[in-house]
Amino acid sequence: MNINDGTLPLLPNLLRRFQHIGTIVIDTNAHNHKDIDGLLDQISRSGALNLQAIKFRSHLAKPPRDGLKALALNKNIKNNLKVLDCSRLILMQDSDLVLIADLFPRLEELKIRAYKKITNDDVTAGITDDGVDALASKLKDLKEFVFTGNACFITDQSLISLSTYCVKLKTISLDISRSGRHYVTGEGIDFVMRHSPNLTSLSLNLWSLQPSASSFKIEKAYAIAKNLHSLTMCQQLFSEKHIRLVAKACPPLKRLRLFGSGGQYFEIHGAFKLLLGACRLTLEELTLGSWSLTNTGISDLAQHLSNLTFIDLHECSGLTSATFYTLMKSCPLLETLKIANMKGQEMDLFFPDFLHKNYHMRHLDISGNWRLTNMMLKNFGQVCPNLQFLDVSNCMSLTDFGIGKVLRVCPAITQLNMNHLKVSGVFGSYIFDHFIVNLKTMKARCSQIDDSGMAMIGKRCRNLQHLDIGFCEKVTDKGVMEVVGNCERLRYITLIGCEKVSTDILPQMVSSRPSLRNIDPPGYDLSEQMTKKLLSFGCRLSVTPD
């Protein structure tokens, strides 16, 4: 069940009717933890019998501690809750970890977040070894522990505690940003590898590894990584030697993610090729982020990539469109390719031999490539005729002509992201024919779309359900109503920052299009009366976080 502002008035009846709900996602606009406290208390008193997962999607500074305590008063929830996702609760502290462990002793998955920030009560968030140790000692069934943030002041002791107490642990993920402080060394990683027999997923985005008393410890850790199905590391945590040790262990890796931070890939190429060869039969997803790569290097790896379904090469410099065609030909099972923000390289490189069609490709993200041309986009589309998702945001050389071309050669596209493009329309030279587009989601934030472009969207995109035109300064009330009046399935529309769109149009929008469920309004000057009127039509108001 997804609890948002639209379902809140119906919540008591919903909870009485559906007492066997397994998962609740809290996604309201409440920014006060006290509002969420009351909501959780209401859930607790509802008599929920089989609630196993609670996920917070609302951004809150303080965790709803009183609400969590109220939830635990319901014995069914206390004994059955397996998943708690607090990754949107910003200021977590050691005391919160202790509280969670005491309230929900049978948790199996926990996601937390902590950032350095001082609230009005002068309370600074932070997670230390003490909090992790207390948590681990009480959650014997914990299988997944995920931490994100910069207020994490842990040492190897935290990893030791997790491995010692949580023998069922399968996933450890620590994503400590550059501004964070930690004191994890190779000895901690080695301990986890040796004492977590069920560990299959290890993700360590630590950006720096503290000096270890025994420098060989980290090498031993990689050498015994025999059970890992998923491995995520940043450049500071591995070298060519470490990669060779992992390859020697032959883990059944399905997902491999290595982040380079601008590092020189050629230094690890030989070892990395060896690892790909060792995992060739199991590897499905590969991410190489922020490396200095070459087309020749990718071509040399291609023989080991034939089973991949997902490749992400975001922010890798040195690549051109030749890499795209190489991967399309060498990876017949590939469904998702992300080659966003290829830094400073020519994109427009094409030969007829490159037109090897890949019918499995569904998702293509080529955003942020300033040199991507209309013809290049058309050629990409011809290679991937079954494409369903396309992101060309910030491809500043594209025009509406190129967008129209790719929509014509890839008629299955249902989501198009074209944020920040300097286009006023979408369909180029096809504006006067009967070309109908299958788009369900269009994101055109900060583009040059005007009322004429909106009219064409309304005319050609009859299946549109989600439209984001935030900060499109040329759109007026007339353009908005062109879409609302013609797109019979429209459910979500974002108008934030549209200076020429009036909030007075909102009642007309919801009354003329009953399918509308969410509007991000152009401004914040909404009266309580208008808000209630919109809610009476089943449409909620919200502001997107980005």
Side-chain angles (χ1 to χ4, degrees), residues 120-179:
N120 295 331
D121 298 325
D122 294 326
V123 176
T124 304
I127 303 298
T128 71
D129 289 339
D130 291 340
V132 176
D133 184 76
L135 177 86
S137 65
K138 297 179 180 183
L139 297 183
K140 305 296 185 181
D141 294 330
L142 194 65
K143 296 179 181 179
E144 179 176 343
F145 179 75
V146 177
F147 174 87
T148 304
N150 60 12
C152 185
F153 313 106
I154 64 171
T155 69
D156 289 338
Q157 184 56 50
S158 287
L159 295 179
I160 293 172
S161 296
L162 287 168
S163 292
T164 301
Y165 294 119
C166 306
V167 295
K168 298 180 181 179
L169 203 61
K170 292 184 177 181
T171 298
I172 295 179
S173 177
L174 300 179
D175 188 353
I176 303 176
S177 55
R178 297 174 188 270
S179 59

Side-chain angles (χ1 to χ4, degrees), residues 218-237:
I218 185 69
E219 296 177 6
K220 287 186 177 181
Y222 287 111
I224 59 177
K226 295 182 178 181
N227 298 321
L228 288 181
H229 291 179
S230 177
L231 178 63
T232 301
M233 291 281 185
C234 49
Q235 181 189 1
Q236 290 81 352
L237 301 185

Side-chain angles (χ1 to χ4, degrees), residues 33 91 152 241 251 367 369 376 379 387 413 511 521 533:
H33 65 92
L91 301 181
C152 185
K241 185 175 183 180
S367 59
N369 291 303
M376 196 73 264
N379 290 334
L387 211 58
I413 291 179
S511 61
K533 183 174 183 179

Side-chain angles (χ1 to χ4, degrees), residues 260-425:
S261 301
Q264 297 299 314
Y265 168 78
F266 69 86
E267 297 176 353
I268 66 167
H269 176 78
F272 185 62
K273 184 178 179 180
L274 187 67
L275 175 58
L276 290 179
C279 304
R280 179 177 181 177
L281 297 179
T282 59
L283 194 64
E284 298 175 358
E285 299 183 14
L286 173 65
T287 297
L288 292 175
S290 301
W291 287 96
S292 179
L293 302 175
T294 64
N295 294 325
T296 303
I298 295 297
S299 181
D300 190 40
L301 298 176
Q303 60 180 310
H304 301 301
L305 307 179
S306 57
N307 288 327
L308 292 186
T309 60
F310 176 100
I311 296 177
D312 184 351
L313 302 176
H314 69 273
E315 297 186 359
C316 287
S317 59
L319 301 179
T320 72
S321 57
T323 289
F324 171 84
Y325 295 114
T326 296
L327 294 176
M328 291 301 101
K329 185 174 182 179
S330 303
C331 308
L333 303 180
L334 193 63
E335 297 178 1
T336 298
L337 176 62
K338 299 182 179 183
I339 46 176
N341 299 306
M342 293 199 295
K343 302 175 182 176
Q345 296 296 317
E346 290 290 342
M347 287 288 297
D348 201 359
L349 181 64
F350 175 74
F351 298 101
D353 292 343
F354 288 161
L355 281 178
H356 182 91
K357 294 186 184 298
N358 187 316
Y359 293 99
H360 278 83
M361 270 290 294
R362 298 292 186 270
H363 183 118
L364 179 61
D365 180 356
I366 47 179
S367 59
N369 291 303
W370 283 45
R371 291 183 171 89
L372 181 70
T373 65
N374 290 333
M375 186 56 66
M376 196 73 264
L377 181 60
K378 177 188 175 184
N379 290 334
F380 282 9
Q382 288 180 326
V383 172
C384 310
N386 294 330
L387 211 58
Q388 295 177 0
F389 174 100
L390 177 64
D391 192 342
V392 291
S393 300
N394 292 293
C395 294
M396 306 309 289
S397 296
L398 290 181
T399 68
D400 53 357
F401 179 81
I403 301 295
K405 283 282 189 181
V406 76
L407 290 175
R408 176 61 68 95
V409 298
C410 299
I413 291 179
T414 58
Q415 177 162 344
L416 173 66
N417 294 357
M418 46 179 282
N419 301 313
H420 296 275
L421 294 194
K422 297 178 180 179
V423 297
S424 58

Side-chain angles (χ1 to χ4, degrees), residues 451 453-465 478-490 509 512-513 515:
D451 285 350
M454 292 287 283
M456 290 308 301
I457 291 172
K459 181 179 180 181
R460 302 297 177 85
C461 305
R462 296 298 179 89
N463 292 323
L464 195 66
Q465 298 177 15
K478 178 182 178 182
V480 172
M481 290 309 300
E482 288 282 358
V483 170
V484 172
N486 289 291
C487 299
E488 298 178 356
R489 300 181 181 180
L490 190 67
M509 290 171 61
S512 60
R513 181 55 57 214
S515 61

